[in-house]
Amino acid sequence: MKILALCRGNPERLPGKSYKTGIFKHGVNGAVMIDAEGLVGDAICNRKHHGGVDQAVYIEGSLTLDWWARELGRPYEPGTFGENLVISDLDNRDVAVGDRFVSGDLVLEVTACRMPCATFAARMADPKFVKRYTVAARPGIYCRVIQGGVAEAGMPVQHQSFAGEKITMPELMETFGRRLSEADRVRYLAAPIHYKLRAMLEAQP
């Protein structure tokens, strides 16, 4: 595996919307510093729902993006989904919470899956895209930064699987907002999940 693209964006206004968003990402030439908050210089406009230490870097696998290119019937430009990194030979469905991606000094740990929102649908110019993305069950991957570093396209990447029980990205998407069984709640809490999900599960009666 290798990094195919690093993408970051500036605050831009969506057509017909009053707010600005950082979802418009574009490929970067050269090296980029990645710290605990993500790619240095990348715009995060709504910090209530985006960014933060457990959602610092957003990854898409090239195999998943190839699938979307066929599904949408048009070429795919890196950054279209708002991703920060595109990793070659990776299918999002094969990724689980706690997996790590290592490239040079950079160490990323998977915390959560991407849940589509109205801004994403507006970016794709398709009001039904939230449903379409959910049905596809190939959600993007959010990571925390265990160790920061400099990254650039072409660098090799190691995908290290989590040693504990697997909670895959499709499973996370399927269970989002639902009450878990006690067995599943314990299983989720044993993994290094996003701190917001952990708080919700710890508060579950």
Side-chain angles (χ1 to χ4, degrees), residues 44-167:
I44 306 294
C45 296
N46 181 354
R47 290 192 173 271
K48 180 179 179 181
H49 299 294
H50 303 290
V53 293
D54 276 4
Q55 208 166 296
V57 177
Y58 173 45
I59 293 174
E60 286 282 358
S62 69
L63 300 182
T64 297
L65 297 182
D66 290 345
W67 183 88
W68 275 111
R70 294 190 298 270
E71 178 74 7
L72 298 174
R74 63 177 185 265
Y76 181 90
E77 292 295 328
T80 300
F81 280 10
E83 72 273 16
N84 297 121
L85 267 68
V86 179
I87 296 179
S88 71
D89 305 306
L90 179 67
D91 186 324
N92 296 2
R93 296 174 299 178
D94 296 332
V95 177
V97 174
D99 286 4
R100 291 188 173 189
F101 294 98
V102 180
S103 184
D105 293 332
L106 182 67
V107 181
L108 306 176
E109 184 176 70
V110 177
T111 61
C113 71
R114 194 247 189 91
M115 295 303 299
C117 61
T119 297
F120 188 26
R123 166 70 179 96
M124 300 303 293
D126 180 358
K128 297 181 180 179
F129 198 75
V130 168
K131 181 177 181 180
R132 189 173 187 177
Y133 189 85
T134 303
V135 169
R138 290 168 163 84
I141 303 151
Y142 282 120
C143 298
R144 63 171 64 93
V145 179
I146 299 297
Q147 180 173 298
V150 175
E152 63 182 314
M155 287 179 61
V157 176
Q158 278 188 309
H159 178 195
Q160 302 175 350
S161 296
F162 180 56
E165 289 194 57
K166 303 297 183 187
I167 305 166

Side-chain angles (χ1 to χ4, degrees), residues 9-60:
N10 297 313
E12 296 185 40
R13 201 178 304 278
L14 281 162
K17 302 293 184 181
S18 60
Y19 59 88
K20 289 186 177 181
T21 173
I23 200 171
F24 292 95
K25 309 292 187 195
H26 306 283
V28 177
N29 293 321
V32 178
M33 181 65 195
I34 300 177
D35 62 19
E37 292 289 330
L39 275 67
V40 173
D42 186 35
I44 306 294
C45 296
N46 181 354
R47 290 192 173 271
K48 180 179 179 181
H49 299 294
H50 303 290
V53 293
D54 276 4
Q55 208 166 296
V57 177
Y58 173 45
I59 293 174
E60 286 282 358

